Amino acid sequence: MHDLIATTALGAAAPCVDHHGPISLTEEPGFALASIAARRGGERTTILAIRRMIGPTAPKAGHWAGARIIAFWTGPDQWMLEAPYDSEEFLFERAIKEVKGKASITEQTGAWCRFDLRGTNLAAVMERLCPINMATFTTGSATRSSIHHLGCFVLCRNADHISILGPRSSAASLHHGLLTAIRAAF
Amino acid sequence: MSQINRLSGGKIDRHQILNFTFDGKTYQGHPGDTLASALLANDVRLMGRSFKYHRPRGVLTAGSEEPNAIVELREGSRQEPNTRATTAELYDGLISKSQNKIGSLRFDLMAVNDRFSNFLTAGFYYKTFMWPSAFWEKFYEPIIRKAAGLGSISLKDDPDDYDRGFLHCDLLIIGAGPAGLAAALTAGRAGAQIIIADEDFSFGGRLNSERFTLGDQSGSDWTGQTVAELSSLPNVRIMARTTVLGAFDHGIFGALERVSDHLLQPAPGKPRQIFWRIYTKGSLLCAGATERPIAFENNDRPGIMLAGAMRSYANRWAVTTARKVAVFTNNDDGHRTAADLHAKGVSIAAVIDIRPDAPQSNDFEVIAGGQIINSRGRLGLKSIDIALPAGGIRQLSCGALGVSGGWNPNIHLTSHHRGRPEWLPDIAAFGPPAKGPAGLRVAGAAKGDLTTSGALNSGTEQANAWLKDLGFVPTAPDLPEAEDAPISITPFWFVKGCKRAWLDQQNDVTVKDVHLAHQENFVSVEHLKRYTTLGMATDQGKTSNMGGLAILAELTGKAIPEVGTTVFRPPYTPTAIGAFAGRDRGTAFRPTRKTPSHAWAEEQGAVFVEVGMWLRAQWFPKEGETDWRQSVDREVLATRKSVGVCDVTTLGKIDVQGADAATFLNKIYCNGFAKLAVGKTRYGLMLREDGIAMDDGTTARLAEDHFVATTTTANAVSVFRHMEFARQCLWPNLDVQLISTTEAWAQYAVAGPNARRLLQKIVDPEFDLSNEAFPFMACANITVCGGLRARLFRISFSGELAYELAVPTHYGDAMIRRLMQAGEEFDAVPYGTEALGVMRIEKGHAAGNELNGTTTALNLGMARMVSKTKDSIGSTLSERSGLKREDALKLVGLRPVNPANPVPAGSHLMSKGDPVDAAHDQGYVTSACFSPNLGHFIALAYVKSGDSRMGEILRLVSPLTGFDHEVEVVSAHFIDPEGERLRA
Amino acid sequence: MIINHPLLGPRDSAEFTYMGDASLIDRPDWKNPQALTQFIDYGYMRDNPAGAHCELWYHEQGDRSFLVVTRDTTTHEIFSVELARDVARSRGRST
């Protein structure tokens, strides 16, 4: 076992938590990510592999699905897998075993920072951030959008809980943008 | 006495007093007031000076179409010029100033311009400042610049924030007058997601300004009840103080919400304004109509205003401009103003109606068939001269005059897609074009339905039309009975014989100017507009365009619809640039990307440089170092002597996987990758299809079907895009998958003779780093520090024995600390981008300066890399003769003949004895630095046939700075040309 | 503008990067004896129609699909949106 200590995207040992009005904004470092892209002819196998990892259905375009391990659609025949880091640090290796050479797997854990918005009326915050139509962006929706010029994945976990995954190197800029929007909205 | 012009009633809260200042003097008003209404209440008619002639001007309108009452609001860093007093909502502590004057508003020294009006007519600039041409820059332009513009800016940073936002709806209703409210009620009750926006702070539109009843309710009661119902509907979003500025493509509208303009300053964290982008399936324009004036001699005196505005001030704001007023009209609506003011106890001097058959009144005198031919009063209206129908002139004293020439539908948004407005003869005005923006319907006065009843009905009708289209069940709300008087108007634009009769009061364009333009053959409306500047100011001619067109029509003997009209463009009203910028300013202008070692580098006192969005450590100053060169030289020498560490995470990393990954890379890079062995890395040169070098980097083969390609920092995004293009559009049947891993790995270069010894302390012992087991250009998946997954590449940018070690980014901070700790025994140094640059120049490696978008593989000395045995992007067009000429530029090294001389990048090279001119240019310096290892400056340069000119002495010149020295052409490989170090 | 993405539905064109004429799909065969001339035409010759125009849009802030968008250059009306990959395959692009 190595003895290196991971830092969060914002650079601290512990995640950053902010509260403002009815909204909380938390940095969520505790998850592993792996991308999964079907190889030519491996589309069916890939979907079956995803199902084995996440549950009965693989998410279609614009959605996520799953429970402990989830997958969200990122492009044609492409998904991202997400799971708790503590138990699934080697999510990418697990995925490689599942797809049996029919999909390309890439570890993405370190590439993204994740911020979660929790509270009521998250639409009031989101409408200042990106063009996602919150009226139709309900539980199970997942899409990529541009937030403060950063390509981010946005997942609606439920009506009062949204996750935003952004490029890790810009975590501080993204965090500032999110916090600013919350303070402007409430 | 305070507020001597205040009447009874109105939609103001008299219980609250708001103090404000205008030109330093304190006045009082009430909530509900605008700055204009409050000034009028305090008997202030003079509010500004005109643009060109500096004539005294007062308020003309009661809305956003205002051309005259343009003021500076607030002070200090919040000072804002050119704001319409008619829309500025009054608040306690508001500070306002008049503008465009030298001296005081009452005694403006620039008013002398009015005396020279004969010289300042249309085309004045074009005619006057033609010669002598040398005068333009030094004399004319400074004067014009000083005289131009109205308000002044603070030159301080705006302390406030602006937000941008995005909204979605089924139906956007633009305008909340009777038509908009009826439409909102209809669509809201049907359950559609609607947004109703109005630029005013109070909904109701003209209902706020009229005495009409709707059923048994007053207009404002009906409005209040309607807004209350709309507010209770969850599917309705009500946006007051929100101007829809433009209709863009496919149902996108831009709207500006003034969140805090009516406050002393925005609440903490809250923006001043929000620029909304609204996405809607359908839209309904209910923007109402704007009254237009009639031009007559000296029609611009303070106190002369539009009749509808005069009525608004009386009914909505309980203000009269004077105790005795007159009305000049060509239609029945003008008479309403007289009736309403009479009802409020204001004395009506007379209604002058150009129509001989004008309706008469029992309450006031109506001069049917009369025309106003002049006005008097230096700083405000005192009297008017009336040409009587029976002949003769009558002078009538009055302090204010309401003028009504009819109403123009506010169709601006309907022609934002170039639609040409259509003439509506019934109301003698232009209505919406037959083909406006797709998905935009029009209702109410904006459509030409000028009656209240017409507005309510057409709002309902059009909303129902949308409901049907959108799949909702249409509803018919119980519309109240409302005013439905027939429109009676006799088109009349200007009084014959008038000269200094103002059409465009903001740009000081007169009837005479239009005559002059026509006389000079500007007969198209577009030319007329640009030559006279009619309609070009901040009000965009909302009250003036029609008058100009009508006169041009008369002069050209055409009907108005034949003359046509200019079309409107966004924004509907002036918009602060800050609102478009949103939060993107200062350090938040764009996101900042930080490397995994950023925090550690900060602790070391690193100096950072922006590389695209990245912040990279440029050098790491040590105590006692006062000059950047000291730090950089030390870092270079220490690295070459022992070992140095540099964060190279910023280089783009692209995971290329799939059965055809090698085939794909063969097409992307001009050199071959198919035969690269697993566990090896190769340098690749990527060309654009036109044969110009696009990017370069190393690509490692981790498995038969798995590569990691690296790009330069600057091109990471564009190379990925290029590869996706090739994958999806050119070779869609290849089995290849791409994903960026730039952010996934923290990558450190460890370079120098002790690099291996340092890494052996980090890399787990089962991985053999010996030169035999892990030679130059090897790569492997390894583990470090007791089991952390990592990647190791033996590649070298510096020319030293070097490796790049990658670990998952979240361990990047821990890894830099561990590396530096392990390196202590070797005196390891961190080095920044400057030292990186020095070492790569010493080694003769090309970088962005050399791959500068104009150079080919041949120029770079890599012509042989372009494989002829396979197809790759750029390989065919590389064969063009023009790119392969014999004297093509070649990359070489340069060193100064006198070692003390610098070799500045950007300098050009000349053969000795040749004149210094472009025709004799031999090439140019791309990269230069001081080499601490060689003890003098060195450079990389492109030189014509440079590879065959080794040893030649050239002149290095910079004609701009007078620089002129001799340099020797040498190999670009200044250090270790045989490559022994990196293979050690 | 709104581009109706075949997989994701209507999306703001601001999420896309405009990548030029869709004729870029029709890259010539490098083995053709006329390859040099064909590549010059491919690289430099463009139609500039006032009307329907097939163009490439890259959903850079989205799913990274290249789309072939047929758009009226005078009105911005969009007639069709297809995945460029499908268009390329249908035009016989292969390895």
Side-chain angles (χ1 to χ4, degrees):
Chain A
M1 190 50 196
H2 67 81
D3 58 350
L4 296 171
I5 296 166
T7 45
T8 73
L10 289 177
C16 182
V17 181
D18 296 276
H19 296 278
H20 181 86
I23 307 288
S24 73
L25 175 68
T26 54
E27 183 187 10
E28 302 279 350
F31 63 98
L33 288 172
S35 66
I36 176 166
R39 295 204 169 172
R40 200 141 156 68
E43 294 83 356
R44 180 80 196 142
T45 313
T46 303
I47 285 177
L48 291 173
I50 291 172
R51 281 199 214 157
R52 279 196 299 278
M53 287 184 279
I54 69 164
T57 47
K60 291 196 163 46
H63 291 87
W64 67 270
R68 196 179 64 86
I69 302 178
I70 70 154
F72 55 92
W73 188 93
T74 57
D77 305 321
Q78 296 166 52
W79 294 263
M80 189 81 85
L81 297 166
E82 187 205 69
Y85 189 86
D86 288 344
S87 53
E88 295 287 348
E89 180 181 352
F90 296 94
L91 180 63
F92 70 103
E93 288 185 349
R94 177 182 178 141
I96 287 170
K97 284 190 196 104
E98 290 283 358
V99 299
K100 301 182 181 71
K102 294 292 185 183
S104 296
I105 309 294
T106 301
E107 184 186 6
Q108 289 281 342
T109 303
W112 300 88
C113 60
R114 179 177 135 189
F115 295 102
D116 280 18
L117 287 165
R118 289 185 185 81
T120 51
N121 196 10
L122 294 177
V125 178
M126 295 304 290
E127 71 190 18
R128 288 169 198 255
L129 293 172
C130 65
I132 294 173
N133 182 359
M134 294 305 291
T136 53
F137 196 76
T138 48
T139 304
S141 295
T143 193
R144 195 172 199 157
S145 196
S146 177
I147 296 179
H148 286 274
H149 311 285
L150 297 166
C152 295
F153 290 110
V154 183
L155 281 68
C156 182
R157 310 259 174 192
N158 62 54
D160 298 328
H161 183 190
I162 283 172
S163 292
I164 295 170
L165 278 71
R168 183 184 172 105
S169 67
S170 302
S173 294
L174 180 58
H175 182 255
H176 175 261
L178 298 176
L179 209 51
T180 304
I182 294 169
R183 288 175 178 153
F186 292 101
Chain B
M1 183 191 155
S2 166
Q3 305 191 48
I4 58 166
N5 287 339
R6 203 59 93 171
L7 306 170
S8 61
K11 288 190 70 174
I12 49 167
D13 177 6
R14 288 166 199 265
H15 302 298
Q16 274 193 64
I17 303 285
L18 304 177
N19 289 294
F20 69 102
T21 68
F22 178 66
D23 280 345
K25 200 173 162 201
T26 301
Y27 299 94
Q28 294 184 333
H30 301 294
D33 263 326
T34 62
L35 176 59
S37 70
L39 284 172
L40 290 177
N42 286 283
D43 203 26
V44 177
R45 287 185 299 177
L46 176 62
M47 296 186 198
R49 287 279 176 170
S50 75
F51 179 58
K52 209 153 79 173
Y53 303 118
H54 291 257
R55 287 170 63 98
R57 292 282 167 80
V59 74
L60 180 74
T61 74
S64 63
E65 67 272 31
E66 177 61 29
N68 275 346
I70 307 291
V71 298
E72 274 171 22
L73 287 189
R74 310 179 205 96
E75 57 181 7
S77 54
R78 289 196 167 87
Q79 178 181 316
E80 184 182 327
N82 304 340
T83 307
R84 289 145 294 167
T86 49
T87 58
E89 197 173 339
L90 198 70
Y91 56 84
D92 197 50
L94 174 69
I95 295 166
S96 61
K97 282 193 293 249
S98 62
Q99 47 188 39
N100 203 38
K101 69 204 186 227
I102 295 179
S104 78
L105 186 56
R106 294 176 68 85
F107 301 100
D108 176 10
L109 296 175
M110 290 294 279
V112 68
N113 281 7
D114 201 32
R115 304 275 171 215
F116 296 106
S117 59
N118 278 343
F119 300 98
L120 292 168
T121 50
F124 155 71
Y125 291 115
Y126 313 122
K127 292 166 184 166
T128 311
F129 298 116
M130 295 294 290
W131 51 264
S133 58
F135 268 43
W136 177 253
E137 209 173 300
K138 291 208 166 66
F139 187 68
Y140 294 139
E141 194 183 330
I143 293 179
I144 293 170
R145 286 210 180 281
K146 196 163 177 342
L150 293 169
S152 58
I153 52 172
S154 69
L155 296 173
K156 292 179 182 138
D157 283 352
D158 186 342
D160 297 328
D161 291 310
Y162 299 81
D163 265 342
R164 272 182 308 211
F166 308 85
L167 298 173
H168 300 258
C169 58
D170 294 322
L171 180 60
L172 169 66
I173 298 168
I174 303 157
L181 289 172
L185 213 48
T186 307
R189 284 175 181 170
Q193 290 289 333
I194 65 169
I195 292 174
I196 176 166
D198 197 292
E199 61 178 353
D200 204 331
F201 53 88
S202 178
F203 271 23
R206 280 303 297 179
L207 293 178
N208 291 325
S209 296
E210 305 290 358
R211 286 195 296 156
F212 306 142
T213 51
L214 283 81
D216 52 7
Q217 286 178 304
S218 72
S220 71
D221 284 352
W222 182 83
T223 300
Q225 184 192 308
T226 305
V227 171
E229 179 178 345
L230 292 173
S231 306
S232 72
L233 298 173
N235 53 320
V236 177
R237 184 174 185 134
I238 292 175
M239 300 180 75
R241 302 185 177 99
T242 303
T243 308
V244 178
L245 296 163
F248 302 96
D249 291 299
H250 308 150
I252 300 177
F253 289 80
L256 186 77
E257 182 179 2
R258 289 172 296 276
V259 180
S260 310
D261 278 1
H262 62 294
L263 306 172
L264 198 55
Q265 64 184 64
K270 301 292 181 281
R272 174 169 290 283
Q273 300 173 346
I274 307 175
F275 188 77
W276 294 106
R277 178 182 281 229
I278 302 175
Y279 304 87
T280 185
K281 292 174 187 145
S283 51
L284 186 56
L285 182 70
C286 306
T290 300
E291 201 171 14
R292 61 200 185 207
I294 296 171
F296 58 90
E297 198 75 10
N298 291 313
N299 60 334
D300 62 332
R301 292 190 200 284
I304 300 178
M305 61 175 63
L306 291 166
M310 186 177 260
R311 194 155 84 233
S312 296
Y313 286 117
N315 289 331
R316 175 172 171 181
W317 288 289
V319 165
T320 182
T321 309
R323 285 291 154 182
K324 189 174 181 191
V325 305
V327 172
F328 183 30
T329 185
N330 66 340
N331 65 81
D332 286 359
D333 191 61
H335 293 252
R336 271 189 196 132
T337 299
D340 285 11
L341 270 86
H342 173 77
K344 291 256 185 188
V346 177
S347 162
I348 306 299
V351 173
I352 301 98
D353 192 325
I354 61 112
R355 300 171 297 176
D357 57 346
Q360 290 297 320
S361 164
N362 295 328
D363 297 326
F364 43 80
E365 183 187 3
V366 175
I367 303 175
Q371 295 185 10
I372 300 181
I373 55 170
N374 206 349
S375 76
R376 298 165 200 278
R378 193 178 75 86
L379 294 174
L381 185 67
K382 289 204 168 100
S383 67
I384 49 177
D385 293 350
I386 303 160
L388 299 169
I393 294 171
R394 178 169 154 200
Q395 192 172 344
L396 199 62
S397 79
C398 56
L401 174 70
V403 183
S404 179
W407 293 78
N408 292 328
N410 288 332
I411 53 170
H412 303 70
L413 269 66
T414 65
S415 63
H416 279 182
H417 294 187
R418 301 199 304 181
R420 293 276 163 189
E422 300 211 341
W423 185 249
L424 302 174
D426 287 353
I427 59 167
F430 281 105
K435 199 171 177 330
L440 179 67
R441 289 187 161 106
V442 190
K447 187 163 169 269
D449 293 326
L450 294 181
T451 68
T452 311
S453 169
L456 293 170
N457 282 314
S458 79
T460 307
E461 247 169 58
Q462 297 301 324
N464 272 330
W466 265 126
L467 289 173
K468 205 165 150 240
D469 287 0
L470 296 170
F472 292 89
V473 180
T475 63
D478 39 341
L479 290 178
E481 199 149 308
E483 170 273 332
D484 200 16
I487 306 300
S488 170
I489 180 170
T490 300
F492 187 79
W493 311 99
F494 66 103
V495 174
K496 299 284 174 299
C498 65
K499 290 194 177 75
R500 303 201 74 204
W502 266 261
L503 292 167
D504 182 336
Q505 299 207 25
Q506 193 168 32
N507 263 346
D508 270 350
V509 180
T510 62
V511 172
K512 189 179 148 194
D513 289 323
V514 178
H515 277 271
L516 184 65
H518 173 254
Q519 195 178 311
E520 295 179 3
N521 205 28
F522 292 94
V523 292
S524 128
V525 283
E526 301 288 354
H527 290 157
L528 173 76
K529 171 176 175 171
R530 280 146 189 95
Y531 192 60
T532 62
T533 71
L534 176 79
M536 286 175 69
T538 61
D539 66 333
Q540 286 288 291
K542 290 188 176 68
T543 58
S544 62
N545 282 345
M546 271 306 299
L549 299 179
I551 294 169
L552 188 64
E554 191 172 298
L555 292 169
T556 53
K558 289 180 183 166
I560 292 173
E562 283 176 73
V563 171
T565 174
T566 56
V567 294
F568 304 99
R569 283 185 292 258
Y572 177 66
T573 50
T575 309
I577 297 290
F580 293 106
R583 305 263 181 179
D584 299 346
R585 56 179 213 172
T587 51
F589 177 67
R590 59 180 182 183
T592 302
R593 300 177 80 179
K594 290 180 181 169
T595 65
S597 67
H598 188 88
W600 174 84
E602 265 183 335
E603 290 166 22
Q604 310 307 309
V607 172
F608 292 94
V609 59
E610 284 185 46
V611 183
M613 295 197 298
W614 287 103
L615 279 183
R616 297 187 72 179
Q618 199 171 7
W619 61 84
F620 295 83
K622 275 206 164 171
E623 219 176 304
E625 288 173 347
T626 52
D627 181 76
W628 68 274
R629 267 276 309 282
Q630 290 176 305
S631 310
V632 173
D633 290 356
R634 173 184 49 75
E635 289 170 17
V636 171
L637 291 170
T639 300
R640 293 217 189 275
K641 183 174 169 221
S642 179
V643 63
V645 179
C646 182
D647 190 330
V648 292
T649 304
T650 61
L651 270 72
K653 300 180 264 302
I654 301 171
D655 221 35
V656 183
Q657 295 195 51
D660 298 321
T663 311
F664 179 75
L665 290 172
N666 252 2
K667 296 181 180 301
I668 295 293
Y669 290 103
C670 70
N671 51 319
F673 275 86
K675 293 188 182 121
L676 180 65
V678 172
K680 288 289 184 188
T681 302
R682 181 173 288 173
Y683 173 82
L685 179 65
M686 190 180 291
L687 304 179
R688 308 192 311 217
E689 193 68 89
D690 62 2
I692 299 292
M694 179 180 181
D695 199 61
D696 67 346
T698 55
T699 294
R701 192 167 202 169
L702 296 173
E704 201 57 40
D705 54 359
H706 187 184
F707 294 80
V708 178
T710 63
T711 75
T712 59
T713 300
N715 289 335
V717 170
S718 56
V719 166
F720 188 85
R721 186 188 296 155
H722 176 72
M723 287 169 77
E724 278 289 5
F725 166 72
R727 186 178 81 96
Q728 297 180 40
C729 299
L730 300 183
W731 297 288
N733 290 338
L734 288 183
D735 178 29
V736 59
Q737 293 81 40
L738 304 173
I739 191 160
S740 167
T741 55
T742 305
E743 303 260 347
W745 297 91
Q747 195 150 321
Y748 297 105
V750 181
N754 282 320
R756 182 182 292 117
R757 291 176 64 199
L758 192 162
L759 279 174
Q760 278 166 337
K761 296 172 70 180
I762 301 282
V763 175
D764 290 337
E766 60 266 38
F767 300 98
D768 183 357
L769 294 188
S770 70
N771 199 32
E772 296 70 37
F774 200 74
F776 181 55
M777 299 308 263
C779 67
N781 282 313
I782 57 163
T783 61
V784 295
C785 301
L788 176 66
R789 60 198 174 279
R791 285 172 179 171
L792 190 66
F793 310 88
R794 189 166 161 196
I795 50 179
S796 176
F797 200 41
S798 57
E800 296 299 323
L801 165 65
Y803 302 81
E804 289 188 12
L805 173 68
V807 294
T809 310
H810 41 299
Y811 289 107
D813 179 77
M815 183 47 69
I816 185 68
R817 292 174 198 276
R818 186 62 57 88
L819 280 169
M820 294 317 295
Q821 192 188 351
E824 269 172 24
E825 64 171 293
F826 310 109
D827 296 323
V829 293
Y831 64 92
T833 55
E834 288 297 331
L836 180 88
V838 168
M839 287 191 278
R840 73 99 187 161
I841 296 171
E842 286 181 336
K843 183 62 186 170
H845 278 150
N849 297 13
E850 286 71 40
L851 276 72
N852 60 16
T854 68
T855 52
T856 61
L858 181 79
N859 299 143
L860 285 158
M862 301 180 190
R864 278 185 302 174
M865 279 180 69
V866 187
S867 170
K868 305 280 190 290
T869 60
K870 62 164 182 124
D871 181 21
S872 70
I873 291 175
S875 65
T876 302
L877 288 182
S878 291
E879 294 299 310
R880 285 179 293 167
S881 53
L883 296 182
K884 300 179 73 176
R885 36 190 297 167
E886 277 197 8
D887 65 346
L889 295 168
K890 297 283 174 57
L891 190 64
V892 297
L894 296 179
R895 77 165 180 225
V897 170
N898 177 348
N901 284 335
V903 190
S907 309
H908 276 248
L909 292 151
M910 300 290 159
S911 294
K912 283 172 81 174
D914 273 357
V916 178
D917 58 27
H920 293 84
D921 191 48
Q922 296 299 304
Y924 59 98
V925 176
T926 51
S927 301
C929 69
F930 178 81
S931 165
N933 291 290
L934 300 174
H936 58 76
F937 283 88
I938 57 170
L940 301 179
Y942 282 115
V943 175
K944 282 184 178 173
S945 311
D947 50 346
S948 58
R949 295 171 78 171
M950 292 298 151
E952 188 177 333
I953 306 295
L954 293 170
R955 278 171 75 192
L956 186 72
V957 300
S958 167
L960 208 59
T961 57
F963 184 88
D964 191 344
H965 288 303
E966 288 186 342
V967 290
E968 184 188 344
V969 179
V970 296
S971 159
H973 309 295
F974 294 93
I975 295 270
D976 187 30
E978 304 305 319
E980 287 165 6
R981 296 188 191 182
L982 46 81
R983 290 191 174 80
Chain C
M1 291 195 296
I2 299 285
I3 294 174
N4 195 7
H5 191 297
L7 303 170
L8 292 166
R11 305 288 290 220
D12 193 318
S13 62
E15 294 179 355
F16 294 77
T17 306
Y18 180 72
M19 296 298 291
D21 195 320
S23 69
L24 285 169
I25 290 173
D26 306 316
R27 187 172 181 272
D29 178 0
W30 71 298
K31 283 185 179 151
N32 188 297
Q34 299 301 313
L36 186 58
T37 317
Q38 289 175 350
F39 266 96
I40 288 170
D41 282 355
Y42 168 75
Y44 295 102
M45 302 304 284
R46 294 282 186 281
D47 290 333
N48 185 20
H53 186 228
C54 291
E55 46 203 31
L56 289 171
W57 290 76
Y58 173 48
H59 200 193
E60 190 146 38
Q61 300 295 346
D63 74 340
R64 305 287 166 93
S65 285
F66 272 78
L67 305 179
V68 174
V69 175
T70 308
R71 182 177 68 103
D72 189 317
T73 55
T74 62
T75 63
H76 295 183
E77 187 183 353
I78 290 174
F79 306 109
S80 74
V81 184
E82 302 156 276
L83 288 176
R85 185 183 65 178
D86 295 347
V87 173
R89 282 178 182 160
S90 73
R91 291 196 200 167
R93 300 273 341 152
S94 60
T95 56

